[in-house]
């Protein structure tokens, strides 16, 4: 993606949208497990802003990987980075309180707070919008 903001989400068993990932300008966006397995995904990807997007097919990626070890290293490094970010997020959500998760956003991803609507940010933190408002109010006091 060249510019814009995407969110990735799925529907919970209660049919609520659960946002689990945001992507900003100059990053990759995909349903990666679907890309790997070539099966349908439950993941949804939604543009939250106007976007400029470059696309590349799975076949083209495979051709690039086969054309040079450098491309293979590049895609591997990208997948490893995504894995590390996902693991960090899972550990944070499982170990920390919602307040600490919000503080982590303030420290490490202030752009989320400026650019992401609260109705998408609260499920990203695993809390209701009302609880997020309380956290924000307590921190600003």
């Amino acid at each position: 993606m060249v510019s814009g903001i995407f969110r990735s989400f799925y529907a919970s068993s209660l049919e609520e949208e659960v946002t689990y990932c945001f992507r900003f300008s100059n990053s990759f966006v995909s349903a990666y497990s679907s890309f790997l397995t070539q099966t349908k995904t439950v993941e949804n990807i939604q543009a939250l802003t106007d976007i400029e997007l470059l696309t590349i097919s799975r076949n083209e990626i495979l051709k690039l990987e086969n054309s040079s070890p450098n491309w293979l290293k590049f895609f591997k490094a990208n997948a490893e980075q995504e894995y590390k970010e996902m693991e960090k997020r899972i550990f944070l959500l499982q170990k920390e309180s919602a307040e600490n998760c919000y503080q982590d956003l303030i420290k490490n991803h202030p752009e989320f707070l400026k650019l992401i609507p609260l109705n998408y940010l609260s499920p990203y933190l695993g809390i209701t919008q009302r609880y997020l408002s309380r956290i924000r109010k307590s921190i600003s006091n």
Side-chain angles (χ1 to χ4, degrees):
M1 163 180 39
V2 176
S3 64
I5 303 172
F6 278 102
R7 79 173 177 121
S8 295
F9 68 97
Y10 60 88
S12 73
S13 59
L14 300 173
E15 296 300 315
E16 296 171 336
E17 290 182 0
V18 178
T19 300
Y20 67 90
C21 179
F22 295 105
R23 287 287 175 250
F24 294 89
S25 299
N26 301 313
S27 64
F28 289 100
V29 62
S30 74
Y32 192 58
S33 62
S34 180
F35 171 83
L36 293 173
T37 63
Q38 292 295 279
T39 59
K40 188 175 177 180
T41 183
V42 296
E43 179 179 359
N44 298 283
I45 301 172
Q46 176 187 27
L48 297 181
T49 63
D50 290 340
I51 58 145
E52 184 179 348
L53 185 67
L54 303 174
T55 62
I56 185 168
S57 71
R58 183 176 193 276
N59 286 339
E60 288 300 316
I61 288 175
L62 296 175
K63 284 180 191 176
L64 287 171
E65 287 178 345
N66 290 323
S67 72
S68 166
N70 290 331
W71 278 110
L72 188 57
K73 287 177 188 176
F74 171 77
F75 290 122
K76 181 179 182 276
N78 188 58
E80 289 170 351
Q81 182 62 35
E82 292 297 319
Y83 176 83
K84 289 187 293 186
E85 287 179 23
M86 180 183 65
E87 183 179 70
K88 179 182 174 189
R89 177 162 153 64
I90 289 169
F91 289 165
L92 185 70
L93 286 173
Q94 290 179 341
K95 285 177 39 178
E96 300 296 336
S97 67
E99 291 86 354
N100 287 348
C101 291
Y102 186 77
Q103 292 282 8
D104 181 73
L105 282 183
I106 292 170
K107 179 181 175 187
N108 296 310
H109 301 287
E111 70 277 13
F112 283 29
L113 305 175
K114 294 176 189 169
L115 302 171
I116 306 296
L118 292 182
N119 61 316
Y120 299 135
L121 196 57
S122 56
Y124 178 77
L125 293 169
I127 58 177
T128 64
Q129 196 169 341
R130 173 183 266 167
Y131 189 41
L132 176 56
S133 294
R134 278 191 232 140
I135 291 170
R136 293 177 68 192
K137 186 176 180 179
S138 71
I139 288 174
S140 65
N141 289 336

